[in-house]
Amino acid sequence: MGNMSHCELEDITLHLNDRISSTRRVLELRTIAKDQDKRVILGKIGQDILAIDGLLDQFEKCVGRQKDLLKHLKELEGFFEEDVQDGKNLRDNMPTHMPRKGQPAVHGKGSAGQSGPVNVQAVQQVHTRKTSKNQIREMEFITSPEFDTIPQYMKGRLTYEQLNTAVESINTAVTGKYKILNQPAKTLNNATRKLHQRFKEEENKDTKGLFFIVEADIKEFTQMKVDKRFQSILSMLRHCQRLREQRGGGITRYVLL
């Protein structure tokens, strides 16, 4: 009875109804039966009643088990609904630094999965967006596999999230700088025109077509401190082929790759 199906329960119900009807007819016939037959009839009725009672007992137990199973399934349904809701929350609140499906990720590895130098031109092609000439490029966030390739002595206590927060700050500085550079100087106010002039002075023949910032841009456009920790972050970004340094004229330029 433990694994009884719905159809089997219906069959037992029909069987019980048949036995009850049969017992009722026997009771009705008892009044016209001879005395010697009444004892046989009463014995038969007693057996039928015991059989019906046993079937009803099993039927009741089976119904109880089905109720317990239904209660358990309801609880599982509640758990699954919570999981679905958690999944939707994760989907709708995906951290900005997490790689997305279809987003090109550049790793510091060769095609065979072995460590090796990355072709800088290929990286630039991946990161350059095919839009107008004034489009501002951004540094791609570090992926988890890339973070794992960074030597521990270089990472120190810096976490994956903290490194990508720094990438976001660098992108903020790049965007702030090149938004100003993309505007005609005559349309700017005095303070912004001075920044525009500094940006132009920091350029040279080797920076043509490149996107770069200097430490002053980090201080100007972000809250990130330019300290030893910042230098460690730069080392990790160089390791992951996100930027390179270009020195000249007493200035260190951080060029996006």
Side-chain angles (χ1 to χ4, degrees):
M1 293 286 289
N3 296 322
M4 187 177 294
S5 67
H6 178 70
C7 292
E8 289 172 324
L9 286 172
E10 287 185 345
D11 291 341
I12 289 179
T13 303
L14 292 173
H15 180 62
L16 284 171
N17 288 333
D18 290 342
R19 295 295 291 269
I20 292 171
S21 297
S22 176
T23 302
R24 186 181 292 114
R25 284 194 298 271
V26 171
L27 284 171
E28 291 172 352
L29 291 171
R30 184 186 60 177
T31 57
I32 61 174
K34 296 179 181 180
D35 291 342
Q36 59 183 5
D37 294 329
K38 286 183 179 180
R39 286 192 296 271
V40 176
I41 292 172
L42 288 174
K44 182 71 168 65
I45 291 172
Q47 291 175 1
D48 286 345
I49 290 174
L50 288 174
I52 291 171
D53 184 64
L55 286 172
L56 286 173
D57 184 57
Q58 293 184 50
F59 191 83
E60 186 178 3
K61 290 179 180 178
C62 181
V63 171
R65 285 192 291 270
Q66 295 298 321
K67 287 183 178 179
D68 290 340
L69 179 60
L70 180 61
K71 181 181 177 182
H72 179 63
L73 290 174
K74 286 287 185 182
E75 291 175 351
L76 285 177
E77 183 183 26
F79 292 143
F80 285 133
E81 288 177 351
E82 289 180 4
D83 289 341
V84 169
Q85 190 59 45
D86 289 343
K88 288 180 179 179
N89 289 335
L90 285 173
R91 181 197 63 191
D92 298 337
N93 299 282
M94 185 74 72
T96 56
H97 61 267
M98 292 293 290
R100 304 298 181 97
K101 184 178 181 181
Q103 181 186 40
V106 181
H107 302 272
K109 294 184 178 182
S111 59
Q114 297 177 347
S115 298
V118 175
N119 186 307
V120 173
Q121 288 184 340
V123 175
Q124 289 176 337
Q125 289 173 0
V126 171
H127 289 179
T128 302
R129 300 177 182 178
K130 297 179 180 179
T131 51
S132 66
K133 64 179 182 179
N134 289 335
Q135 177 64 48
I136 300 172
R137 281 194 48 233
E138 291 184 348
M139 181 183 295
E140 294 287 343
F141 287 104
I142 303 299
T143 63
S144 182
E146 286 179 302
F147 185 76
D148 292 339
T149 67
I150 301 174
Q152 186 59 46
Y153 77 86
M154 194 179 291
K155 287 189 288 191
R157 296 182 178 180
L158 198 77
T159 66
Y160 172 69
E161 289 76 14
Q162 289 171 331
L163 180 58
N164 274 316
T165 297
V167 171
E168 194 165 11
S169 294
I170 290 173
N171 284 335
T172 298
V174 173
T175 301
K177 171 184 176 179
Y178 284 92
K179 276 186 176 180
I180 294 174
L181 272 177
N182 289 340
Q183 298 179 53
K186 61 182 180 180
T187 64
L188 305 175
N189 59 35
N190 290 334
T192 311
R193 190 179 295 113
K194 288 180 180 179
L195 286 174
H196 188 281
Q197 183 178 353
R198 174 172 70 79
F199 298 153
K200 286 295 186 181
E201 291 173 352
E202 291 166 351
E203 294 178 351
N204 57 34
K205 60 183 178 63
D206 296 322
T207 63
K208 187 176 181 180
L210 301 178
F211 287 80
F212 71 91
I213 56 172
V214 299
E215 289 186 2
D217 300 326
I218 294 291
K219 296 175 181 177
E220 179 69 33
F221 296 105
T222 77
Q223 300 296 318
M224 188 163 55
K225 295 180 179 180
V226 180
D227 51 15
K228 290 183 179 179
R229 184 170 178 268
F230 175 72
Q231 296 302 323
S232 298
I233 289 171
L234 293 178
S235 297
M236 285 184 274
L237 294 177
R238 285 195 298 270
H239 174 85
C240 294
Q241 298 291 327
R242 289 298 191 272
L243 58 77
R244 62 181 174 86
E245 290 185 4
Q246 184 192 95
R247 300 175 185 272
I251 301 172
T252 301
R253 301 167 183 83
Y254 304 110
V255 183
L256 271 62
L257 298 178

